[in-house]
Amino acid sequence: MALVNTPTGQLKIDYRDASGSRGSTILHFPYDTLAAVVFTAADAISASLNALSDAAIDGYSITYTKREDTPATPTAGSRVEEKGNFVWRTNNGRSTRFTIPAIVDSVLNESGSIDKTDALIAALVAAVTDVDLVFASADGSDITALLEAYQSFRSSTKRQLPSDR
Amino acid sequence: MLKPAAIVELVWRDASGSTSATTVFAPSSLAVSAIDASATTLASLLMPLTGCVLVAQRIKYVWVPDEPVVASGNNLLTHTGVLFFSIDGSVSGGLVVIHAIDDSVFVSDGPGAGAVIDLENADISALVSAILDAGMCNPFAVPFLDVSGGYLQSRL
């Protein structure tokens, strides 16, 4: 079992036309191309597209994707709607969060809070707040501490409802 | 301008087949290899905490305009031009779409008037050069060799 990269990364250039409708042009590049190189190319391609299109280019993104080549079997009864929520303090005084779907019951307290003394949770906190991992908030601020950790449930989407109902 | 943080998504699948992502952020100044290394470590820490299995990982850098942008003309997105690119062994191994394409890029006479893209048009040539110089390819990583044709498609 391993995450294997797709053959290419994807450059997606987004448009907005005079009516406000949105669309995109998608191009592909060899996966091992550095993001900085792709951005330089994207600037040139966007400039050329701007000259050819009545729509306005209002952004672009570069995505590198990996997929598991032999996925394992999920735990029976696991549901992504059951979330472990982790709220973190950042070094600019704000907060950021992420969720873990189908959080395991073994790390939960009776109240639904997550046991911060659990060894697995402690290891996660240490890694996220330490300098070894590069993760930050959406504005680029370092994550400094865990504020809250708790279980919650999201509504199932229509696609998540059982197909044999 | 480049957003300060790249988006990292770890995609999980539960027993019902539904998927959900853990979304974190990493400084966009970092190379994808550096972010990927941290993502691998994070995934290993999260795996014992979830009943799901990891099925995918995405790292996404995002650029946004630094001021509001305004459409320059009235053609809508459905007015779409398609450029076909040749690859080794095929004259149409990849394509690039141009939404709300300007009408000045079409040939003006002959049976293709108003529908066939003039490959000699300076703006078309500039775009083709930018795509080829960047080493763009089709989704299977087969590099584009040259533009082979293009025309107007009607999109609904």
Side-chain angles (χ1 to χ4, degrees), chain A residues 3 7-8 11-12 15-19 21-31 33-35 37-39 41-46 48-68 71-81 83 86 96-104 106-107 118 120-121 123-124 127-128 132-140 142-143 159-161, chain B residues 2-5 8 10 12-28 30-43 45-65 69-78 83 95-105 121 123-124 126-128 130-131 133-142 144:
Chain A
L3 283 176
T8 59
L11 166 63
K12 180 169 172 276
Y15 302 78
R16 187 170 350 123
D17 70 14
S19 73
S21 297
R22 295 177 179 272
S24 59
T25 288
I26 294 176
L27 298 109
H28 298 87
F29 54 88
Y31 189 90
T33 309
L34 293 176
V37 173
V38 182
F39 271 119
D43 285 343
I45 294 171
S46 295
S48 299
L49 282 172
N50 250 332
L52 290 166
S53 175
D54 282 4
I57 291 177
D58 66 354
Y60 55 79
S61 60
I62 295 169
T63 303
Y64 295 82
T65 300
K66 286 185 167 184
R67 299 195 190 282
E68 175 60 55
T73 302
T75 301
S78 57
R79 293 300 297 259
V80 294
E81 295 94 317
K83 303 288 189 188
F86 292 78
T96 187
R97 65 169 61 214
F98 63 73
T99 60
I100 301 173
I103 187 79
V104 295
S106 59
V107 300
D118 181 274
L120 295 174
I121 299 297
L124 174 64
V128 171
D132 287 345
L133 290 187
V134 301
F135 300 117
S137 65
D139 62 6
D142 285 339
I143 297 173
R159 290 178 64 184
Q160 289 171 332
L161 296 177
Chain B
L2 185 62
K3 280 191 165 182
V8 183
L10 297 174
W12 309 90
R13 186 168 66 216
D14 70 15
S16 75
S18 296
T19 58
S20 182
T22 296
T23 302
V24 292
F25 301 92
S28 57
L30 296 176
V32 66
S33 56
I35 299 175
D36 180 58
S38 284
T40 300
T41 301
L42 180 63
L45 293 169
L46 296 182
M47 280 179 195
L49 297 172
T50 174
C52 292
V53 293
L54 185 68
V55 292
Q57 172 193 293
R58 289 187 287 264
I59 298 172
K60 186 175 182 181
Y61 298 81
V62 182
W63 177 94
V64 293
V69 293
V70 179
S72 59
N74 294 323
N75 281 338
L76 302 180
L77 293 177
T78 49
L83 287 173
L95 62 85
V96 174
V97 297
I98 307 166
H99 291 293
I101 192 166
D102 192 276
D103 290 326
S104 66
V105 304
N121 177 279
D123 292 329
I124 292 290
L127 174 63
V128 170
I131 289 173
D133 290 346
M136 293 295 169
C137 55
N138 70 10
F140 307 100
V142 181
F144 291 161

